[in-house]
Amino acid sequence: MKNIDWNNLDFQYIETDIRFVSNYKNGSWDEGALIKDSTVTISECACVLQYAQTCFEGLKAYTTVDNRVVCFRPDLNAERMESSSKYLEMPPYPKEKFVNAIVDVVRANIDYVPPYGTGASLYIRPFMYGSNAVIGVKPALEYSFRIFTTPVGAYFKGGIKPIVIRISDFDRAAPHGTGHIKAGLNYAMSLHAIVDAHNKGYAENMYLDSATRTKVEETGGANFIFVTKDNTVVTPKSASILPSITRRSLMYVAENYLGLKTEEREIAKEELRDFKECALCGTAAVLSPVGKIDDHGNEIIYGSSMGEITKSLYDTLTGIQSGKIEAPKGWIRLIK
Ligand SMILES: *Cc1c(COP(=O)(O)O)cnc(C)c1O
């Protein structure tokens, strides 16, 4: 194991030893290889640099309570990256090879997987980009698919604290745009909105549907779940929301482990006051409770501690992930 202070890691890039690279040329992907070079050399006119032809994924490898190294539902990352790449006119990387490459690259960096109990994990970043020179607007002919890993610390240090967010005046995704795929371009256009939010003291932006600005969508990088007063777990339905794997897993857990009613449906902004709990969900934090939403000076308050249902969802899903609670078949991929 590397000599790293696992308990004090941030979410910051730390270079690890090995990454996976496969290149696409003349209509096919090569075999791919584990390599040491962490840098990329491409044409100044590469399609990714000029026209942002790139998509990515994010998941974690971590140590379970019984000392296995695993990752969570990588097949869904493979599937989602396939749909992202197709929508950006990029050649999908074969799903089975995607999962195998994840296993290989984590095994190659096994000394960077944090021990159980630290809350830290080895973040895995698969991504793909158009690499050859393109000046007239069209898809690239050549691509690279890479996976690197970087150790990251526990999301919540010193306890879980509900965050304060605002309803954003910026839009994230157009109705028939790219909101449902994990494209770098969605993040480029969210940078101004998040810096502005942070400058004004908010942790995140709640984006509404950009067509009518009446319905709840998601934040820049996490989906929402809400809990009604009669304990139904509700999540927004929209074609421009990124289908979070954490959210889909939580909805399954709510129904099948906790026996709760669940709904995926449109959620009007006016309904926000009717819910008793609100949380963000995504790979990074699993669930992050929202304490307050600021709607242009009108405050919607959920409270200063994690709600009861949010807590049982959090405990159950993290229990499944860490091997304390039996997982549904196929959810946990063994690495070591
Ligand atoms: C990645 C991402 C999420 C979270 O998805 P998970 O699969 O749960 O990590 C949510 N929203 C957006 C916009 C994302 O890019």
Side-chain angles (χ1 to χ4, degrees):
M1 190 162 306
K2 297 281 172 179
N3 184 21
I4 293 175
D5 183 4
W6 307 110
N7 291 302
N8 289 303
L9 277 174
D10 288 321
F11 197 84
Q12 259 177 33
Y13 176 73
I14 296 173
E15 190 180 318
T16 56
D17 299 338
I18 305 287
R19 62 279 301 125
F20 176 82
V21 183
S22 176
N23 294 309
Y24 182 93
K25 204 174 173 171
N26 300 323
S28 63
W29 289 104
D30 68 14
E31 266 307 290
L34 296 170
I35 64 161
K36 288 198 164 143
D37 189 358
S38 64
T39 63
V40 168
T41 303
I42 45 175
S43 164
E44 63 187 354
C45 197
C47 196
V48 58
L49 298 180
Q50 302 309 322
Y51 303 125
Q53 195 187 20
T54 179
C55 61
F56 66 98
E57 274 302 324
L59 68 163
K60 287 168 168 178
Y62 50 90
T63 307
T64 60
V65 67
D66 53 350
N67 237 17
R68 294 170 298 148
V69 173
V70 303
C71 62
F72 185 69
R73 307 187 80 180
D75 51 312
L76 296 188
N77 296 96
E79 236 167 61
R80 195 167 61 187
M81 188 139 175
E82 178 180 58
S83 86
S84 299
S85 32
K86 282 182 178 165
Y87 203 77
L88 292 170
E89 293 295 334
M90 305 165 89
Y93 193 73
K95 284 183 279 187
E96 206 164 299
K97 286 190 167 181
F98 177 105
V99 174
N100 290 337
I102 283 182
V103 171
D104 290 346
V105 78
V106 174
R107 281 185 187 149
N109 293 293
I110 203 78
D111 291 344
Y112 288 96
V113 180
Y116 178 78
T118 57
S121 56
L122 186 65
Y123 185 75
I124 306 165
R125 170 54 60 88
F127 63 110
M128 188 194 292
Y129 56 90
S131 55
N132 67 295
V134 166
I135 192 74
V137 178
K138 58 177 183 289
L141 290 169
E142 296 173 13
Y143 295 87
S144 284
F145 169 71
R146 297 176 71 108
I147 307 172
F148 68 78
T149 61
T150 190
V152 297
Y155 191 84
F156 299 109
K157 293 195 184 74
I160 299 176
K161 258 226 206 87
I163 55 172
V164 177
I165 66 174
R166 69 167 181 190
I167 294 187
S168 175
D169 288 327
F170 301 104
D171 291 325
R172 188 189 87 90
H176 304 283
T178 53
H180 62 298
I181 62 167
K182 220 168 168 70
L185 61 91
N186 290 332
Y187 280 78
M189 48 85 53
S190 76
L191 294 174
H192 175 62
I194 195 65
V195 169
D196 187 62
H198 288 166
N199 285 341
K200 292 173 176 150
Y202 303 99
E204 281 292 344
N205 287 300
M206 169 182 272
Y207 292 104
L208 303 177
D209 75 295
S210 53
T212 69
R213 318 200 105 254
T214 58
K215 287 170 280 184
V216 176
E217 295 244 304
E218 60 170 322
T219 67
N223 286 180
F224 280 107
I225 61 150
F226 300 94
V227 180
T228 65
K229 294 203 170 94
D230 59 359
N231 291 346
T232 300
V233 181
V234 187
T235 194
K237 186 186 176 87
S238 158
S240 47
I241 290 178
L242 195 281
S244 156
I245 293 164
T246 315
R247 184 254 298 163
R248 287 180 270 164
S249 305
L250 286 165
M251 296 303 273
Y252 182 92
V253 163
E255 213 170 303
N256 297 284
Y257 281 71
L258 303 177
L260 299 169
K261 244 185 84 188
T262 62
E263 287 172 1
E264 185 181 353
R265 59 166 173 82
E266 289 188 346
I267 296 177
K269 192 183 83 165
E270 276 68 43
E271 270 186 83
L272 288 173
R273 279 184 197 285
D274 302 338
F275 298 122
K276 66 171 182 184
E277 298 178 27
C278 169
L280 304 182
C281 56
T283 295
V286 176
L287 265 176
S288 175
V290 174
K292 186 158 89 181
I293 302 173
D294 187 342
D295 178 11
H296 304 88
N298 291 317
E299 294 189 335
I300 300 149
I301 293 168
Y302 298 105
S304 55
S305 59
M306 195 180 220
E308 188 195 338
I309 301 288
T310 305
K311 174 129 193 352
S312 43
L313 282 169
Y314 180 84
D315 289 345
T316 310
L317 186 57
T318 53
I320 288 169
Q321 290 176 330
S322 62
K324 287 186 218 150
I325 297 173
E326 196 181 341
K329 201 168 173 292
W331 277 26
I332 305 293
R333 171 72 193 227
L334 183 68
I335 294 171
K336 201 199 105 185

